Amino acid sequence: MAKKTIKTSNNQPVANSDQTTKPVTKCDQLVESTSQMAIDQLNIESMIHVIRDKQVMLDRDLAVLYGVETRRLNEQVKRNTERFPEDFMFQLTKDEALSSRSQFAILNETLSSSRSQIVTLKNGRGSNIKYLPYAFTESGIAMLSSVLRSPTAIEVNIRIMRAFVAMRHFLANNAQVFQRLANIEYHQIETDKRIDEVFKRLDANTQPQQGIFYDGQVFDAYQFVSDLVRKAKNSIVLIDNYVDDTVLTLLDKRADNVTATIYTQHISQQFQLDINRHNTQYPAINVEHFNRAHDRFLLIDDEVYHIGASIKDLGKKWFAFTLMQDIATTELINKITAE
């Protein structure tokens, strides 16, 4: 039987057999031309991501290249799940999807001109992440050609396979460069760590080792001793013959795990009452009787500070302080406990 010829609305003849063939419409032609334009304009290699140490392409990018909706692509895959094991295809986590979305914005910008036409290559999902995309490895993309049977799909798959090969060649040819960059980054991280350590040590040594506070410098003197109390890591020992409840408040600036002990020559009934009330509410401060010291000493961990005035009278009159380099805290404490 003779073949029939069907003319479309643009008078282009299409050969047909006995079975009726769907006429080629302007819309179909626009889909094909727009898809071809997208393939020509887009850099396929830029769509290849490294996720879970695998080179993959996302379903939304593949849908754009194939000229179909992401939903339709995934429907075809679900109908043939036995052809797509985990090493062929896997679903992204939320963090992986968010990381890949910024790269997809470049794709949207490239296709902005084509989307203004009658037929668009919109993936049907919107710009917000409303579902977790699927990632296809090179093997999974090759398998797509068996479920998406169209001339466009075949041509796209050929181009994608070439892009994967080009990417492998690029990585292989530049392996030494990447290794050098990794080494540079490692050394930079180590250098940054050393610099941070230097600054930490500088910060730790910002406390002056000696000086004088004059009368009227009440806040400055108070701030100085408060900083000493705050920097304690293990213990604070105060040797001061004249203390009151303000000293208890000052020592409360220490960390919770830091012990505090006061050695003083006189513990009045009122001060003992203050101590008891304090210790029922705040970390305990141990107060012991000791009357053999004339000067004041503040022991912060392993450092011994000689203080010229009682802590409760800071800034009222001139007084000096000194960090005693050659005196260990254990020496003083052993002398006190030996009494």
Side-chain angles (χ1 to χ4, degrees):
M1 182 179 294
K3 294 184 178 180
K4 297 179 181 179
T5 300
I6 299 175
K7 289 187 178 181
T8 63
S9 58
N10 62 356
N11 295 321
Q12 295 296 324
V14 178
N16 196 0
S17 59
D18 292 338
Q19 296 180 347
T20 302
T21 301
K22 181 182 178 181
V24 178
T25 65
K26 287 184 178 180
C27 185
D28 294 330
Q29 291 176 342
L30 187 54
V31 169
E32 186 67 24
S33 62
T34 307
S35 300
Q36 184 62 43
M37 179 182 64
I39 296 170
D40 293 339
Q41 288 181 347
L42 295 176
N43 183 358
I44 296 178
E45 292 180 19
S46 68
M47 301 182 191
I48 299 176
H49 307 266
V50 177
I51 302 176
R52 304 181 192 179
D53 296 328
K54 296 178 180 180
Q55 289 185 339
V56 300
M57 292 185 68
L58 303 182
D59 54 3
R60 62 198 181 198
D61 295 340
L62 291 168
V64 170
L65 292 175
Y66 292 136
V68 299
E69 290 187 349
T70 308
R71 175 178 53 81
R72 181 176 179 276
L73 184 146
N74 287 331
E75 284 176 353
Q76 291 296 103
V77 171
K78 289 179 181 179
R79 293 192 185 105
N80 299 271
T81 54
E82 70 282 355
R83 298 187 181 186
F84 295 92
E86 291 185 1
D87 56 329
F88 280 33
M89 180 192 74
F90 57 86
Q91 192 170 26
L92 270 59
T93 64
K94 184 177 180 181
D95 290 339
E96 292 170 341
L98 289 172
S99 176
S100 66
R101 184 171 62 173
S102 60
Q103 298 186 35
F104 186 54
I106 299 174
L107 182 62
N108 284 336
E109 182 178 355
T110 305
L111 291 177
S112 60
S113 60
S114 63
R115 292 186 178 187
S116 63
Q117 303 178 43
I118 299 174
V119 178
T120 68
L121 297 182
K122 187 176 181 181
N123 69 349
R125 297 291 183 177
S127 58
N128 296 324
I129 293 181
K130 298 179 182 178
Y131 83 114
L132 297 178
Y134 287 92
F136 292 82
T137 64
E138 184 175 353
S139 300
I141 294 170
M143 185 61 70
L144 280 174
S145 62
S146 66
V147 297
L148 296 175
R149 299 172 183 176
S150 70
T152 300
I154 295 173
E155 182 178 356
V156 168
N157 267 47
I158 292 173
R159 296 191 179 207
I160 292 175
M161 293 302 104
R162 287 173 178 168
F164 271 97
V165 171
M167 183 70 73
R168 283 198 298 271
H169 286 170
F170 174 79
L171 294 175
N173 294 335
N174 295 276
Q176 292 183 347
V177 175
F178 293 144
Q179 183 61 44
R180 290 176 184 175
L181 290 174
N183 290 336
I184 292 173
E185 183 179 7
Y186 171 78
H187 289 302
Q188 183 62 47
I189 293 173
E190 291 299 313
T191 301
D192 291 343
K193 288 181 180 178
R194 292 172 185 173
I195 292 174
D196 289 341
E197 184 64 27
V198 170
F199 280 118
K200 286 180 181 179
R201 292 182 181 181
L202 289 175
D203 290 340
N205 295 326
T206 53
Q207 288 287 350
Q209 296 184 359
Q210 61 183 15
I212 297 176
F213 287 99
Y214 299 97
D215 56 316
Q217 289 186 282
V218 177
F219 180 79
D220 292 341
Y222 178 82
Q223 187 66 39
F224 168 70
V225 176
S226 295
D227 290 342
L228 292 179
V229 171
R230 289 191 185 97
K231 82 170 188 176
K233 303 297 183 183
N234 300 304
S235 65
I236 298 174
V237 176
L238 173 64
I239 303 173
D240 189 341
N241 286 334
Y242 304 98
V243 292
D244 59 16
D245 58 326
T246 62
V247 178
L248 303 179
T249 302
L250 182 61
L251 293 180
D252 281 339
K253 295 181 179 296
R254 73 191 190 279
D256 292 340
N257 60 334
V258 176
T259 62
T261 303
I262 299 174
Y263 291 98
T264 186
Q265 69 174 358
H266 180 65
I267 304 174
S268 66
Q269 185 176 1
Q270 179 59 51
F271 185 50
Q272 185 62 59
L273 184 61
D274 291 338
I275 296 169
N276 295 339
R277 289 173 175 172
H278 171 276
N279 291 348
T280 58
Q281 185 173 354
Y282 300 102
I285 296 175
N286 184 35
V287 181
E288 301 287 345
H289 181 265
F290 182 72
N291 61 0
R292 301 196 57 172
H294 177 274
D295 292 351
R296 295 86 173 170
F297 300 92
L298 181 60
L299 285 58
I300 306 295
D301 294 333
D302 297 326
E303 295 179 338
V304 177
Y305 284 86
H306 177 261
I307 309 292
S310 292
I311 299 298
K312 71 181 183 64
D313 297 323
L314 293 177
K316 294 181 179 180
K317 293 183 178 181
W318 293 22
F319 77 93
F321 67 90
T322 303
L323 174 60
M324 307 182 71
Q325 301 283 5
D326 299 326
I327 303 298
T329 57
T330 53
E331 178 180 344
L332 293 181
I333 294 174
N334 289 339
K335 286 285 186 180
I336 293 173
T337 55
E339 296 297 329

